[in-house]
C-alpha cells in the first residue's frame, strides 16, 4: 500500500516532469523558427507565381467555358481547389518543385483555352459586346459610373495574398513547411518575409481610395480631421495587438522575440500606420508622389542604419527598457510605413477608372503599360541597391525592414499586380468597356472568384480568425511530431474552415469592419 505522502510525491514528480516536457517542447518550437537564413529570390518568385497562374487558369475556365456560372456546389469545389488547394500544395508537397506545379497549371490552362468556347458565351457576347459597345441601361435603371472602380484583378490579388498568408502562419509550425520559407533571423529573403510586406503593401492600395475620392471632389481634409479619422481606424487594431500580447504571455505560447520584440506584434505595426500616413500626407506639398515619399523615407532610414549606432542597437543591443525590448518592432515600422506609402502610390494609378490614353493605347492597356513601367523601375532600384558589382551591395533584412527589403517587397508586389491585371484585361475586356454601374457590376461578378472575393471582403477578420485557429492548433497538436499526410490534412481542414466562414459571411452580405 502506497502512503499518502508517497502518492503526493509521485504526483508532484509527474507534474514536474510534465512541466519540464512542456517547457522543453516550447523551447524546441522557438528554436524551430529561429536562426533561419531563408532561400533565394528566384525560388520565392516561382512559389508566388502559382497565384497568378491559378488566376489565369480560373479566368480561362470562366471566359471560355463559363464554368462558374451558375455557381453550383461543383463550381465552389473547383474554385476552392484552385485558389486555396493549389496554393497549399505550393508550400507543402510541391515546395521543392514550384516550377513543375506552375507548368502543370499552365498546361491545363492552355488545353482549356484551345477547347472550343461554350456556345452560350458567344450568344451572350453577341448581345453584350465586351469592347465597350454595350448599350447602357435605360435612364434611371442604373447609377452612373463613379470615379473609382473595384477591378477584378485587385480582388484576385488581395484574395490570393490573404490565402497564402493564412496558410503560412499555421504551416510554418509543421516540419513539412520548408525552413527556407520561414522568416529569416536577420539577413536574407524568405516567403514569409515577403508575406508580411505584401500584407502592408496591399493595405496601402486600399487606403488610397478615400484620397482619390477627395481628389475627385476637389477638396482636401485638414490634418486634424485626417488624424481623428486615422485613430478611429487604428483603435481596433491596437486592441487586437494588446489582446494578442496578453494571450501569448498568459498562455506561455512559443514566441520569437527577435521578430518584433518582447511586447510588439504585427497588429501594433498595422495599428500605428494610419496616423503616421495621415501625418506624412502633408509632405505631399513638397514631395511629388507617395512613391517618392516612400523612397526618401526608406533611404533616410538606411542612412541612419549605416552611419549611426542604430543598426548595432537593433541587432545586438541590451533589452533593458521598454524601447530596447521592442526595438525591432519600433524601428522596422519605418520600413513598413515606406511600403504602405508605395502601396498607396500604386493605388493612385490602379484604382481610378478614367486613365488618360497614351501611345495610342486604350485606357486598359495604358494601365498595363504604367504598371509594367513601375515594376521595372522598382526592380531596377532593388538591383542597384543590392548588387555587389555595380550597386551598393546591401542585404535584405526583414528584421530591420531596411531599404533593400522595402524595394524587394514593392518590386515583387508590383510584378504580381501586373501579372494578375494582364490575365484580367486580356480575358475579361468587357469589364473595362462597361457603360454603367449595373453592367460593370455584372462583369465584375463574372470575372471574380467567389472564394477570393469572400476573403477580400472580410480580410482582416479572416486573418484574425486564422491567428486564433493557429493558436488553437498549436495548443492541441504537437505540430513538430506530425507526419506529412497528417500535416496536409490539418492544413486542409483549417483552410476549409476559414474559407467556409469567409464565403458564409459573403453569402449573407456581412462585412466585418475592424
Amino acid at each position: 500500500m502506497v502512503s499518502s505522502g508517497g502518492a503526493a510525491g509521485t504526483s508532484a514528480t509527474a507534474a514536474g516532469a510534465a512541466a519540464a516536457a512542456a517547457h522543453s517542447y516550447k523551447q524546441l518550437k522557438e528554436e524551430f523558427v529561429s536562426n533561419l537564413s531563408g532561400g533565394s529570390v528566384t525560388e520565392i518568385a516561382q512559389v508566388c507565381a502559382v497565384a497568378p497562374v491559378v488566376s489565369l487558369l480560373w479566368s480561362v475556365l470562366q471566359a471560355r467555358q463559363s464554368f462558374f456560372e451558375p455557381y453550383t456546389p461543383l463550381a465552389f469545389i473547383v474554385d476552392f481547389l484552385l485558389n486555396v488547394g493549389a496554393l497549399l500544395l505550393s508550400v507543402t508537397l510541391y515546395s521543392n518543385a514550384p516550377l513543375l506545379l506552375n507548368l502543370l497549371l499552365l498546361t491545363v490552362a492552355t488545353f482549356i483555352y484551345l477547347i472550343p468556347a461554350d456556345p452560350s458565351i458567344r450568344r451572350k457576347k453577341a448581345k453584350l459586346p465586351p469592347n465597350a459597345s454595350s448599350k447602357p441601361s435605360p435612364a434611371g435603371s442604373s447609377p452612373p459610373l463613379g470615379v473609382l472602380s473595384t477591378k477584378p484583378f485587385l480582388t484576385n490579388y488581395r484574395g490570393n495574398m490573404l490565402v497564402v498568408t493564412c496558410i503560412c502562419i499555421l504551416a510554418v509550425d509543421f516540419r513539412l513547411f520548408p525552413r527556407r520559407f520561414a522568416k529569416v533571423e536577420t539577413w536574407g529573403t524568405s516567403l514569409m518575409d515577403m508575406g508580411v510586406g505584401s500584407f502592408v503593401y496591399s493595405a496601402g492600395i486600399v487606403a488610397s481610395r478615400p484620397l482619390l475620392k477627395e481628389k475627385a471632389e476637389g477638396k482636401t481634409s485638414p490634418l486634424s480631421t485626417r488624424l481623428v479619422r486615422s485613430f478611429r481606424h487604428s483603435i481596433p487594431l491596437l486592441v487586437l495587438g494588446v489582446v494578442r500580447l496578453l494571450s501569448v504571455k498568459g498562455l506561455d505560447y512559443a514566441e520569437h522575440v527577435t521578430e518584433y520584440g518582447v511586447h510588439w506584434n504585427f497588429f501594433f505595426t498595422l495599428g500605428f500606420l494610419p496616423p503616421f500616413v495621415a501625418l506624412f500626407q502633408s509632405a505631399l506639398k513638397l514631395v511629388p508622389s507617395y512613391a517618392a515619399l516612400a523612397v526618401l523615407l526608406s533611404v533616410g532610414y538606411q542612412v541612419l542604419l549605416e552611419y549611426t549606432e542604430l543598426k548595432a542597437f537593433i541587432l545586438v543591443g541590451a533589452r533593458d527598457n521598454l524601447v530596447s525590448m521592442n526595438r525591432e518592432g519600433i524601428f522596422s515600422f519605418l520600413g513598413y510605413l515606406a511600403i504602405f506609402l508605395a502601396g498607396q502610390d500604386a493605388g493612385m494609378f490602379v484604382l481610378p477608372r478614367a486613365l488618360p490614353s497614351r501611345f495610342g493605347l486604350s485606357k486598359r492597356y495604358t494601365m498595363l503599360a504604367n504598371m509594367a513601367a513601375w515594376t521595372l523601375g522598382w526592380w531596377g532600384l532593388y538591383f542597384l541597391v543590392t548588387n555587389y558589382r555595380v550597386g551598393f551591395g546591401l542585404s535584405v533584412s526583414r528584421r530591420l525592414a531596411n531599404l533593400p527589403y522595402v524595394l524587394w517587397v514593392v518590386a515583387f508586389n508590383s510584378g504580381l499586380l501586373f501579372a494578375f491585371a494582364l490575365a484580367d484585361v486580356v480575358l475579361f475586356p468587357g469589364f473595362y468597356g462597361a457603360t454603367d454601374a449595373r453592367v460593370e457590376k455584372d462583369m465584375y461578378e463574372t470575372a471574380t472568384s467567389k472564394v477570393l472575393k469572400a476573403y477580400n471582403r472580410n480580410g482582416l477578420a479572416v486573418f484574425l480568425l486564422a491567428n486564433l485557429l493557429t493558436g488553437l492548433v498549436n495548443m492541441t497538436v504537437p505540430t513538430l511530431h506530425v507526419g506529412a499526410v497528417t500535416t496536409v490534412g490539418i492544413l486542409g481542414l483549417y483552410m476549409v474552415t476559414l474559407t467556409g466562414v469567409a464565403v458564409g459571411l459573403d453569402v449573407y452580405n456581412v462585412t466585418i469592419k475592424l
Side-chain angles (χ1 to χ4, degrees):
M1 184 173 180
V2 180
S3 67
S4 60
T10 303
S11 176
T13 302
H23 177 75
S24 175
Y25 184 70
K26 177 189 174 185
Q27 186 177 7
L28 185 63
K29 293 197 73 171
E30 290 175 351
E31 292 173 353
F32 189 59
V33 294
S34 301
N35 302 314
L36 303 177
S37 57
S40 69
V41 172
T42 301
E43 184 184 36
I44 296 167
Q46 291 175 1
V47 174
C48 291
V50 172
V53 169
V54 164
S55 183
L56 174 65
L57 174 54
W58 187 97
S59 298
V60 169
L61 273 169
Q62 178 70 335
R64 298 288 291 174
Q65 304 299 325
S66 195
F67 185 85
F68 301 98
E69 289 182 341
Y71 199 70
T72 62
L74 176 61
F76 169 73
I77 292 172
V78 174
D79 197 358
F80 174 82
L81 290 176
L82 286 178
N83 289 299
V84 179
L87 300 182
L88 176 58
L89 288 176
S90 71
V91 298
T92 53
L93 299 180
Y94 277 85
S95 60
N96 292 322
L99 189 58
L100 174 61
L101 181 58
N102 280 306
L103 290 175
L104 291 173
L105 293 169
L106 284 171
T107 300
V108 175
T110 302
F111 175 75
I112 294 173
Y113 186 81
L114 294 176
I115 296 176
D118 184 349
S120 64
I121 298 179
R122 293 179 181 177
R123 289 194 294 271
K124 191 183 298 184
K125 286 184 177 181
K127 294 179 181 178
L128 185 62
N131 58 357
S133 60
S134 54
K135 293 182 180 180
S137 301
S141 65
S142 176
L145 293 172
V147 177
L148 307 179
S149 64
T150 305
K151 296 182 173 67
F153 75 84
L154 284 173
T155 299
N156 293 332
Y157 157 75
R158 280 177 50 81
N160 269 288
M161 183 271 301
L162 285 164
V163 168
V164 173
T165 301
C166 290
I167 291 172
C168 288
I169 61 174
L170 177 57
V172 69
D173 296 312
F174 293 87
R175 294 194 182 277
L176 184 60
F177 188 83
R179 292 301 85 197
R180 65 186 183 278
F181 287 177
K183 292 176 182 176
V184 302
E185 186 69 23
T186 302
W187 308 106
T189 56
S190 76
L191 180 66
M192 291 195 70
D193 289 337
M194 174 54 64
V196 176
S198 299
F199 202 99
V200 173
Y201 182 88
S202 67
I205 294 176
V206 174
S208 63
R209 277 188 168 274
L211 301 177
L212 286 165
K213 288 181 179 178
E214 285 189 355
K215 185 178 179 181
E217 295 170 358
K219 63 179 184 180
T220 302
S221 300
L223 177 59
S224 58
T225 302
R226 295 200 304 270
L227 284 174
V228 170
R229 190 188 312 156
S230 64
F231 275 114
R232 196 179 300 130
H233 285 89
S234 292
I235 289 174
L237 291 166
L238 296 177
V239 170
L240 289 175
V242 173
V243 170
R244 177 175 172 79
L245 170 63
L246 295 177
S247 61
V248 167
K249 301 298 182 183
L251 297 172
D252 197 28
Y253 193 73
E255 55 182 329
H256 189 193
V257 173
T258 58
E259 186 176 347
Y260 293 108
V262 177
H263 309 103
W264 198 279
N265 58 59
F266 189 54
F267 286 111
F268 287 134
T269 297
L270 293 176
F272 284 115
L273 281 172
F276 276 88
V277 170
L279 287 171
F280 271 76
Q281 190 177 344
S282 302
L284 289 179
K285 298 175 182 178
L286 304 174
V287 182
S289 69
Y290 284 102
L293 196 57
V295 171
L296 286 174
L297 175 62
S298 51
V299 168
Y301 175 46
Q302 187 66 41
V303 169
L304 290 176
L305 289 173
E306 297 298 328
Y307 296 101
T308 69
E309 299 298 320
L310 181 58
K311 185 193 297 185
F313 171 70
I314 296 173
L315 298 181
V316 297
R319 297 186 187 274
D320 51 10
N321 56 57
L322 191 61
V323 172
S324 61
M325 285 181 181
N326 299 285
R327 55 185 184 259
E328 290 90 351
I330 293 172
F331 290 101
S332 67
F333 177 80
L334 295 174
Y336 289 118
L337 178 58
I339 292 171
F340 189 93
L341 291 169
Q344 276 196 311
D345 189 80
M348 299 298 280
F349 66 84
V350 167
L351 291 176
R353 184 187 315 282
L355 288 173
S357 299
R358 295 179 180 176
F359 312 113
L361 299 173
S362 64
K363 292 181 179 180
R364 64 179 185 273
Y365 285 111
T366 297
M367 179 188 70
L368 284 178
N370 288 339
M371 295 174 74
W374 276 103
T375 299
L376 291 174
W378 286 115
W379 275 114
L381 287 175
Y382 171 76
F383 179 80
L384 177 65
V385 167
T386 58
N387 188 268
Y388 285 93
R389 291 187 176 180
V390 298
F392 295 96
L394 300 177
S395 298
V396 173
S397 174
R398 187 266 322 150
R399 183 178 174 186
L400 299 172
N402 60 356
L403 175 61
Y405 176 72
V406 170
L407 294 176
W408 178 51
V409 169
V410 175
F412 214 95
N413 280 273
S414 297
L416 279 177
L417 266 178
F418 174 76
F420 279 104
L422 184 61
D424 193 27
V425 166
V426 172
L427 292 170
F428 298 106
F431 172 84
Y432 299 89
T435 54
D436 62 39
R438 182 187 64 79
V439 173
E440 184 182 76
K441 185 176 184 299
D442 290 344
M443 296 305 300
Y444 170 81
E445 295 291 339
T446 298
T448 308
S449 159
K450 295 288 191 297
V451 167
L452 297 182
K453 176 172 170 283
Y455 270 92
N456 186 64
R457 180 172 185 172
N458 288 292
L460 195 54
V462 173
F463 179 64
L464 176 60
L465 176 61
N467 277 269
L468 294 175
L469 291 178
T470 296
L472 178 63
V473 171
N474 274 278
M475 288 188 293
T476 55
V477 177
T479 56
L480 297 185
H481 307 318
V482 172
V485 175
T486 306
T487 296
V488 174
I490 292 173
L491 291 173
L493 181 60
Y494 159 77
M495 290 309 298
V496 166
T497 303
L498 281 181
T499 305
V501 171
V503 173
L505 290 173
D506 188 53
V507 168
Y508 286 98
N509 199 30
V510 176
T511 301
I512 302 175
K513 293 185 177 181
L514 296 175

